[in-house]
Amino acid sequence: MLRLLTSGESHGPGLTAILDGFPAGVAVDKKYIDAELARRQQGYGRGGRQKIETDEVKILSGVLHGLSLGSPITLFVENKDFKNWAEKMSPEPVKTKIEPVTRLRPGHADYAGVAKYGFADLRNALERASARTTAAQAAAGAVCKQFLANFRINISSKILRVGGADAELLRQKIDETKARGDSLGGVAELRASGVPVGLGSYVQPDRKLDGRLAGALMSLQSVKGVEIGLGFAAADLPGSRAQDEIFCRNKKILRKTNNAGGIEGGVSNGEDIIVRLAFKPIPTLIKPLQTIDWKTKKPAAALVERADVCAVEAGAVVAESIMALVLADVFLEKFGGDSLTEIQKRL
Ligand code: EPS
């Protein structure tokens, strides 16, 4: 029902999101989108780039006087850094000779990207592979969150671990790592509350809510693992301890535990949906790893660029927006209509 396309290079003029299939009559507050963009920019361990950017959305279509029209919503976020890259990232040909970037960073899309598209310059691949594009995803996710709020569905996140340490040690761990010229990953937990029973379906694999969430969240930069509810830990337990016993109170069907993370048979069961994400460490390192030069194929030290030391806090905010998009999509499949009023009647 809902389709999202994003575009934009990290140091190009800006980023665009087009959200298609969004119903009419939903209040879309630009201030809320900007607040979500600001949340994404915060977080300890970010690099110099965030001092240059103060992300702000321009709503270019699909919203009139604060209400959605049912037409595609286009969101634009400017890259303020573009002015510093005007020649290197010019969409028009330039006279100056641009030195290609050639020292492949292990863990980044550098090698796979240039090998796939046949580029001589890593920049041609790394610009779009960059996590900068997640600003457009966060903007679109903020629109979906506003839709879900009409039904008291709320999505939040917290950091559980950074570089193997508890979240309380986040700053200390990042400072130590930065001093060593290294980078860190971590684990974040997402929670969606207020989700009604019956979203997604077991009838076809591609309609399963857990599969859709896992696929969408795995596509986020740096994410290497997704688990729902107990996740991998369920594999070590007997069935008697892994499942969630059912009881009824005041005509409400409830659970004693939520090991399933709110999804059974690929369908939401009315409990909170709980997903944990493992983020790998950022591949750009101040103390570079050994690699090869793409041009000469000779040994070289990997490219060193300005980069974040840890972006798990930002990643968790983007993950919330991805979850909002998936939940809004399955919600529209179940209760969908052309306008908010129609959906409210069906619910
Ligand atoms: C990124 C590299 C860094 C990050 C960037 C993602 O950018 P730069 O090369 O300009 O320093 O700051 O993230 C953002 C710009 C952002 O807004 O999140 C990368 O290679 O993925």
Side-chain angles (χ1 to χ4, degrees):
M1 306 288 288
L2 268 185
R3 290 183 297 172
L4 174 66
L5 272 184
T6 65
S7 66
E9 278 70 43
S10 181
H11 305 97
L15 308 159
T16 310
I18 299 182
L19 185 61
D20 184 47
F22 194 80
V26 180
V28 176
D29 180 0
K30 173 187 148 46
K31 284 203 203 91
Y32 179 79
I33 303 174
D34 286 340
E36 286 289 285
L37 289 176
R39 274 184 76 217
R40 193 199 69 91
Q41 284 201 272
Q42 285 156 15
Y44 201 67
R46 299 282 260 153
R49 177 73 183 273
Q50 298 312 313
K51 295 192 183 80
I52 300 171
E53 306 294 345
T54 316
D55 292 339
E56 188 184 344
V57 72
K58 277 199 181 84
I59 303 176
L60 301 183
S61 75
V63 180
L64 187 65
H65 303 150
L67 289 179
S68 61
L69 292 171
S71 54
I73 296 178
T74 309
L75 307 167
F76 180 73
V77 180
E78 188 190 350
N79 285 330
K80 296 215 169 60
D81 204 15
F82 176 59
K83 62 176 183 301
N84 304 317
W85 294 74
E87 278 219 307
K88 271 190 182 165
M89 291 302 297
S90 164
E92 306 293 326
V94 289
K95 295 219 171 76
T96 327
K97 187 176 170 349
I98 309 285
E99 231 8 81
V101 181
T102 56
R103 287 173 292 131
L104 302 164
R105 283 166 298 176
H108 210 283
D110 296 349
Y111 169 58
V114 289
K116 176 176 171 66
Y117 291 100
F119 295 134
D121 188 345
L122 309 189
R123 183 155 303 288
N124 295 11
L126 71 85
E127 282 288 334
R128 180 62 188 152
S130 159
R132 173 66 186 152
T133 193
T134 61
Q137 284 176 286
V143 173
C144 294
K145 279 187 175 183
Q146 291 181 77
F147 167 71
L148 294 171
N150 288 285
F151 312 101
R152 295 178 191 279
I153 299 173
N154 180 61
I155 297 170
S156 58
S157 65
K158 64 180 177 191
I159 308 301
L160 300 183
R161 290 198 303 283
V162 175
D166 286 346
E168 296 94 76
L169 297 174
L170 182 139
R171 284 174 177 250
Q172 187 189 322
K173 196 81 189 157
I174 291 174
D175 288 343
E176 284 167 12
T177 307
K178 189 177 178 180
R180 286 201 310 272
D182 215 331
S183 67
L184 279 183
V187 178
E189 184 174 280
L190 298 171
R191 178 181 292 264
S193 59
V195 181
V197 62
L199 304 188
S201 178
Y202 51 79
V203 300
Q204 289 294 346
D206 64 351
R207 290 185 61 192
K208 292 197 178 205
L209 180 54
D210 41 9
R212 286 163 76 167
L213 278 170
L217 288 164
M218 190 65 121
S219 75
L220 173 57
Q221 279 86 345
S222 295
V223 171
K224 290 308 227 182
V226 179
E227 59 176 17
I228 296 179
L230 274 186
F232 272 62
D236 297 337
L237 293 177
S240 56
R241 283 177 53 209
Q243 318 304 340
D244 306 306
E245 288 190 310
I246 304 173
F247 66 99
C248 193
R249 187 193 293 143
N250 303 328
K251 294 190 182 160
K252 274 194 139 185
I253 293 169
L254 300 167
R255 304 300 177 117
K256 291 184 187 164
T257 50
N258 186 14
N259 292 336
I263 302 176
E264 287 170 309
V267 185
S268 63
N269 66 7
E271 299 297 310
D272 287 0
I273 294 181
I274 295 168
V275 184
R276 274 181 299 281
L277 304 176
F279 290 85
K280 73 173 181 182
I282 304 263
T284 310
L285 301 176
I286 299 303
K287 259 195 176 167
L289 293 175
Q290 201 54 39
T291 185
I292 60 154
D293 186 294
W294 178 235
K295 191 175 167 190
T296 63
K297 309 291 184 285
K298 298 242 166 70
L303 170 69
V304 181
E305 279 206 326
R306 173 190 66 189
D308 302 328
V309 177
C310 179
V312 174
E313 287 178 286
V317 176
V318 183
E320 286 179 27
S321 19
I322 293 173
M323 193 179 204
L325 180 77
V326 174
L327 290 182
D329 192 23
V330 287
F331 192 91
L332 284 169
E333 270 172 25
K334 174 94 179 132
F335 303 109
D338 295 317
S339 68
L340 182 65
T341 324
E342 200 170 34
I343 298 163
Q344 277 164 337
K345 272 193 209 137
R346 288 180 180 179
L347 179 69

